[in-house]
Amino acid sequence: MYERYNISDMLTRIISIILNIVYVLVLNLGMYTDRAVMPNGNVREWTRSPIDRLNIMDQTVFLYLQIFFTAVTVISAVLLLLGIQHHVWKKVWLISFIVSTLLFVIILVITGNAHAKYA
C-alpha cells in the first residue's frame, strides 16, 4: 500500500494541483466585457468573470462539476504525494484531472460565446 515513487510522478501531481488552482483563479477573473442598451438609450458596460456569465446563463451545473472534479483531483494528488500508492487512487487522480481540464476549456468556450441582453 505504501511504496516509493519517482520524481516525475511527484512533479506531475504537484503540477496538477497548481493547474487546478490556476483554473479556479482564471474562472474568477473579470475577463469579459458585456454591453447592453438600456431602455433610456444609454449603453451600460459590465466586466464579468466566467463564473458570473455561467450564473447569468443558468448553467451553474458546469461550475459545480468543475469544483467537484477540482476537489477530487487535489485530494487524490495529496493522498498520492503522502505515499498512498494504490492503483485505484492513481486512476481517480488521472481521470479527475483530465475531466477537470476538459471542463475548464468547455466553461471558457461556453462563456466566451455568451452575449448579455437586457430584458
Side-chain angles (χ1 to χ4, degrees):
M1 186 162 164
Y2 293 97
E3 59 187 55
R4 298 198 46 100
Y5 51 90
N6 57 21
I7 295 294
S8 65
D9 286 343
M10 185 173 66
L11 286 177
T12 55
R13 293 188 180 106
I14 291 172
I15 290 171
S16 73
I17 292 171
I18 292 169
L19 279 176
N20 275 285
I21 292 170
V22 169
Y23 295 163
V24 171
L25 293 176
V26 168
L27 290 177
N28 284 303
L29 285 178
M31 58 195 316
Y32 300 116
T33 301
D34 292 336
R35 291 177 190 87
V37 178
M38 296 289 131
N40 62 3
N42 292 336
V43 176
R44 183 162 179 212
E45 289 187 0
W46 296 272
T47 302
R48 293 197 169 121
S49 68
I51 292 175
D52 293 336
R53 280 197 169 180
L54 283 175
N55 287 330
I56 291 169
M57 297 176 352
D58 289 330
Q59 297 293 325
T60 54
V61 67
F62 290 108
L63 176 63
Y64 296 137
L65 285 172
Q66 177 69 37
I67 292 169
F68 172 75
F69 283 108
T70 296
V72 171
T73 301
V74 170
I75 291 169
S76 60
V78 167
L79 287 174
L80 289 168
L81 285 172
L82 292 175
I84 298 174
Q85 293 292 324
H86 199 272
H87 67 281
V88 173
W89 283 111
K90 290 178 185 177
K91 289 178 184 177
V92 167
W93 167 76
L94 183 62
I95 291 170
S96 63
F97 179 61
I98 291 170
V99 172
S100 175
T101 302
L102 288 175
L103 274 170
F104 175 71
V105 171
I106 289 170
I107 288 171
L108 290 183
V109 168
I110 288 173
T111 57
N113 292 325
H115 302 285
K117 295 179 182 167
Y118 181 76

